[in-house]
Amino acid sequence: MKGISRVLVANRGEIAVRIIRACQELGIESVVTVSEADRESLPAKLADRAVCIGPPPPMQSYLKVDTIIAAALGTGSDAIHPGYGFLAEQPQLAEGCAAHGLIFVGPKADDIKKMGDKLYARKLADELGVPIIPGSELVCHVGEAADAAERVGYPVLLKAAAGGGGKGMKIVEQPEVLLTVFDEASVEALSAFGEDRLYLEHYISNARHIEVQIIGDRFGDVVHLFERDCSLQRRYQKMVEEAPSPAVSPELREEICKASVRIVKHIGYENAGTIEFILDQDEARFYFLEMNTRIQVEHPVTEMISGIDLVKEQFRVASGDSLSVSQEEVKVTGHAIECRINAESPNAGFSPSPGRIREWKPPQGEGVRIDSHCYPRYFVPPYYDSLLAKLITWGRDRDQAIRSMQGALMDFTVSGVDTTIPFHRFIMKNPDYLRGKVNTGWIENNLVKEYKGNEGDPFR
Amino acid sequence: MEGIDQEDVIRILRMLEESTFDELHLEMDGLKLVASKSSKKAGPVGGLNSDDHESTESRADVEPNVQAREEMPDIAQPSDLQENGFIAIKAPMLGTFYRAPKPGAPPFVEVGQLVSEDDSVCIIEVMKLFNTVKANVRGRIAEICAENGQMVEYQQTLFVVEELEDAETGEEENDS
């Protein structure tokens, strides 16, 4: 590929594997950074080279910008792919790449910075005529928060301005508890993002989380790849994603896709990104939530319905090429679902379950895709997130995709560590899910309780 | 979680080492592990559980040996070396390895040279930040394993030092 012949993959786990495989298909050499805990990982085996960048804790390895730039330069790499998480949305890595003549496979540092400020992003959407949830500017103390909450109406959601990923986010049901929750949210925001600026929004309880995948090139062309529905969440962590959304009408779809392209074109955004929306199911209205300036965990469902390889497309536009497809050429075929298989114990409040995997038998078959870095006897280290695999199925329609997922989950055998597989089997049999009648609170408010009453796994 | 093996115990001990805690007590099916950072209570108590045999057997067959790669330093090496009276000086960070304090200057150390704990042996540069590496061991430089100006990885072996008895080191120093 023009301009990129060797890439440093500055990540771990399944996304490192995903990126390395894309490199192999593109004829790009790959070097993967590993912490001491990941020396024997699958990415280390698959990449052309693995370089150890430090001890296991992320602060001493995967989050060290200077070390990662030094590793790229020292290995003769001409580009860095950050994956998701870690440094993907830290402008310092993108800036460091620019300063050292390296290609950052992602957006410009400036755009990461701008859209990372959630209040700026809200304002921008508002200016561009994209609806935003009624909310406040910065609230500096609890008095301001109380006034703002009164104005937008309870319940409200307190959020960190530097936020994302659900951290520093708290629901306030009534004015009486605002003081306590305000302090909690400040503390959480400070520890997660290094700053405690908060704002608040009206909380929409019967909501779906809908997001639009976009990708842009340096010639100003932007295409959207339609929406994903990520409403099945537990504590703001997505568990199941699907595309297209069963709750989005053709009219609504056109509206959110157009709004997304409008925002992205306005900032002259390059590379892959996602515009997140909240769909108020009672009012059938959508609101802009935020933009994520990276490839996302759930990108495979979009790939399955569009036939477009997003990671390859990322490399393509990063190297200076134009997008390989035009908007007219992007077509949706069938339906795709993704289940996140985590090393967690659904029977013990989803507590993390690191340790050595004994058996690892993923399902196979027509329309079944597994993105994973696991193998039999792999040791799941306790330092990182608990994602073991993404199980993705495709079908001609939603029913087929669900049936395929039910079968695939039955054929997925893992022992040695606890996983969310039994919980996913439970979801895939639930009548509400089958009818598409869910919202972002559904797993926590309904399913977790039902699951407890079902002796864990209803299939056994 | 199934039983834990020796490697897991090492990992747990490392986690303790890096943590802010002084002591660790772990009890699970048939296993009791007590570890402490202060020497008076040190040492694991009791044995590994019976699953251990199953856990360690034929591991090499299942997990291809990535450490055999040229660029992956063998972390099993130091203990072997130590038994033979050799000790590795390892890179404390990833960066560019420099044998001399500045370009054109003589190297910090050459093969055959005697070093003591506080002697500087090389510099590792990370983005214009120069970190001097100390020997942290007394002995004679037996081998220089990294190339000047090249990138070294975290924990890569930079030098192999033949450990000398205190008396012997003193003698040698007198001779030279």
Side-chain angles (χ1 to χ4, degrees):
Chain A
M1 177 163 277
K2 169 185 92 181
I4 304 180
S5 55
R6 185 179 297 160
V7 65
L8 185 86
V9 181
N11 214 303
R12 63 176 306 283
E14 67 85 20
I15 194 64
V17 170
R18 167 78 187 87
I19 298 164
I20 293 163
R21 293 222 159 104
C23 290
Q24 288 167 345
E25 287 173 31
L26 290 166
I28 300 174
E29 282 178 22
S30 55
V31 180
V32 66
T33 57
V34 294
S35 75
E36 255 187 325
D38 287 331
R39 279 176 187 275
E40 292 175 48
S41 68
L42 191 58
K45 288 166 200 171
L46 292 175
D48 294 293
R49 184 175 171 184
V51 285
C52 186
I53 51 168
M59 286 302 286
Q60 298 171 48
S61 49
Y62 295 107
L63 289 171
K64 291 195 78 127
V65 176
D66 285 354
T67 301
I68 283 159
I69 303 254
L73 296 171
T75 54
S77 304
D78 27 45
I80 296 182
H81 196 308
Y84 55 70
F86 294 131
L87 295 172
E89 287 174 286
Q90 296 298 315
Q92 296 90 322
L93 182 63
E95 274 162 6
C97 284
H100 290 89
L102 295 163
I103 292 170
F104 180 73
V105 185
K108 296 185 290 282
D110 206 34
D111 293 340
I112 298 176
K113 225 181 276 177
K114 272 195 270 183
M115 300 314 277
D117 183 339
K118 303 303 168 196
L119 275 168
Y120 172 90
R122 253 174 78 85
K123 222 170 135 194
L124 178 72
D126 193 27
E127 281 166 16
L128 294 172
V130 180
I132 55 171
I133 302 170
S136 70
E137 298 283 316
L138 276 188
V139 285
C140 298
H141 51 82
V142 74
E144 273 182 36
D147 291 347
E150 215 55 61
R151 189 163 40 80
V152 303
Y154 284 93
V156 295
L157 196 56
L158 276 168
K159 290 179 156 188
K167 287 186 195 109
M169 219 149 93
K170 300 267 178 200
I171 299 172
V172 188
E173 302 278 1
Q174 307 131 2
E176 293 76 49
V177 291
L178 183 67
L179 179 64
T180 335
V181 181
F182 185 86
D183 289 343
E184 280 171 19
S186 303
V187 170
E188 213 175 294
L190 190 66
S191 73
F193 310 108
E195 59 144 275
D196 60 357
R197 292 187 303 143
L198 297 177
Y199 66 103
L200 60 80
E201 284 174 351
H202 175 66
Y203 177 69
I204 297 165
S205 49
N206 188 15
R208 289 183 92 103
H209 177 114
I210 310 286
E211 58 186 32
V212 175
Q213 176 71 54
I214 60 90
I215 187 158
D217 63 23
R218 71 178 53 175
F219 306 102
D221 284 326
V222 174
V223 299
H224 69 77
L225 287 85
F226 298 97
E227 85 283 2
R228 293 186 285 260
D229 190 322
C230 314
S231 302
L232 293 197
Q233 308 181 350
R234 198 191 140 264
R235 304 208 171 150
Y236 307 115
Q237 300 302 311
K238 295 166 187 167
M239 293 191 78
V240 178
E241 299 98 345
E242 60 184 291
S245 167
V248 170
S249 65
E251 298 75 34
L252 198 61
R253 176 168 298 123
E254 198 183 327
E255 257 189 89
I256 58 173
C257 291
K258 277 191 172 160
S260 302
V261 170
R262 193 152 73 236
I263 293 169
V264 168
K265 276 204 168 162
H266 179 82
I267 50 181
Y269 186 87
E270 284 174 35
N271 221 287
T274 300
I275 310 283
E276 297 191 335
F277 296 97
I278 286 291
L279 173 65
D280 184 337
Q281 299 197 100
D282 297 334
E283 309 276 332
R285 289 200 62 188
F286 75 91
Y287 301 95
F288 170 84
L289 192 60
E290 62 180 43
M291 177 170 186
N292 295 325
T293 55
R294 55 159 199 271
I295 188 82
Q296 285 194 236
V297 175
E298 60 273 25
H299 74 275
V301 291
T302 299
E303 295 185 325
M304 298 295 270
I305 59 157
S306 69
I308 293 165
D309 186 317
L310 279 163
V311 176
K312 282 191 197 165
E313 207 66 23
Q314 279 195 297
F315 276 114
R316 189 184 160 94
V317 296
S319 77
D321 257 351
S322 57
L323 288 164
S324 71
V325 287
S326 65
Q327 191 63 66
E328 294 68 47
E329 289 167 324
V330 181
K331 292 272 181 288
V332 172
T333 311
H335 198 97
I337 301 173
E338 171 181 286
C339 289
R340 296 195 191 187
I341 312 301
N342 294 340
E344 291 170 0
S345 315
N347 288 328
F350 292 87
S351 63
S353 174
R356 191 169 302 284
I357 291 173
R358 189 195 293 259
E359 286 172 287
W360 179 263
K361 290 183 196 142
Q364 293 173 323
E366 185 77 21
V368 176
R369 167 174 168 180
I370 296 272
D371 281 21
S372 175
H373 59 293
C374 295
Y375 51 83
R377 311 221 49 76
Y378 171 66
F379 183 87
V380 182
Y383 311 100
Y384 314 109
D385 71 35
S386 58
L387 184 64
L388 298 178
K390 301 184 304 203
L391 171 60
I392 306 115
T393 59
W394 180 90
R396 274 202 307 273
D397 53 30
R398 188 169 187 263
D399 282 352
Q400 275 210 358
I402 291 173
R403 270 200 295 276
S404 175
M405 183 60 82
Q406 290 167 342
L409 285 165
M410 292 309 291
D411 289 345
F412 206 153
T413 308
V414 181
S415 66
V417 299
D418 290 339
T419 75
T420 47
I421 292 171
F423 194 75
H424 282 298
R425 289 178 185 150
F426 191 61
I427 293 175
M428 289 299 142
K429 282 284 184 190
N430 185 287
D432 288 342
Y433 176 73
L434 297 182
R435 280 185 281 128
K437 298 284 170 226
V438 298
N439 59 38
T440 49
W442 180 71
I443 284 190
E444 268 174 276
N445 300 337
N446 302 68
L447 211 61
V448 170
K449 287 172 206 139
E450 282 178 42
Y451 184 75
K452 274 184 191 148
N454 262 282
E455 290 286 309
D457 193 343
F459 294 88
R460 289 193 173 161
Chain B
M1 192 161 113
E2 73 179 85
I4 61 177
D5 59 26
Q6 194 176 347
E7 193 187 331
D8 300 338
V9 172
I10 293 168
R11 281 175 200 267
I12 291 167
L13 292 177
R14 277 204 195 132
M15 281 163 64
L16 174 66
E17 184 103 13
E18 283 155 10
S19 76
T20 52
F21 302 105
D22 294 327
E23 247 180 71
L24 175 143
H25 295 254
L26 174 72
E27 272 189 78
M28 53 184 284
D29 17 272
L31 170 96
K32 185 176 178 189
L33 177 71
V34 181
S36 162
K37 276 186 184 170
S38 60
S39 51
K40 57 183 158 72
K41 289 189 210 165
V45 179
L48 290 171
N49 75 7
S50 52
D51 280 357
D52 184 41
H53 306 295
E54 208 269 329
S55 305
T56 43
E57 76 179 353
S58 69
R59 255 202 58 212
D61 300 340
V62 196
E63 299 174 24
N65 186 9
V66 277
Q67 288 163 7
R69 282 160 170 253
E70 192 191 344
E71 60 274 12
M72 296 294 270
D74 192 341
I75 48 166
Q77 225 179 343
S79 52
D80 304 347
L81 283 170
Q82 240 159 348
E83 279 169 27
N84 305 324
F86 289 92
I87 284 188
I89 302 177
K90 297 181 159 217
M93 66 202 68
L94 176 145
T96 311
F97 172 78
Y98 292 111
R99 289 191 50 204
K102 57 187 173 198
F108 287 106
V109 291
E110 293 285 5
V111 171
Q113 194 172 327
L114 294 167
V115 290
S116 54
E117 285 89 344
D118 286 335
D119 289 346
S120 302
V121 289
C122 67
I123 281 174
I124 294 180
E125 183 224 321
V126 194
M127 310 310 288
K128 307 287 174 231
L129 206 74
F130 295 87
N131 307 277
T132 306
V133 180
K134 305 269 186 212
N136 280 327
V137 56
R138 278 172 87 79
R140 188 197 307 273
I141 301 284
E143 196 186 339
I144 299 171
C145 313
E147 219 173 300
N148 190 54
Q150 294 296 301
M151 188 193 77
V152 290
E153 293 175 34
Y154 175 67
Q155 292 290 289
Q156 184 173 334
T157 300
L158 305 174
F159 302 92
V160 176
V161 177
E162 185 184 359
E163 216 180 358
L164 300 175
E165 297 300 316
D166 277 354
E168 207 181 329
T169 318
E171 260 176 42
E172 298 276 348
E173 268 165 0
N174 290 341
D175 287 350
S176 57

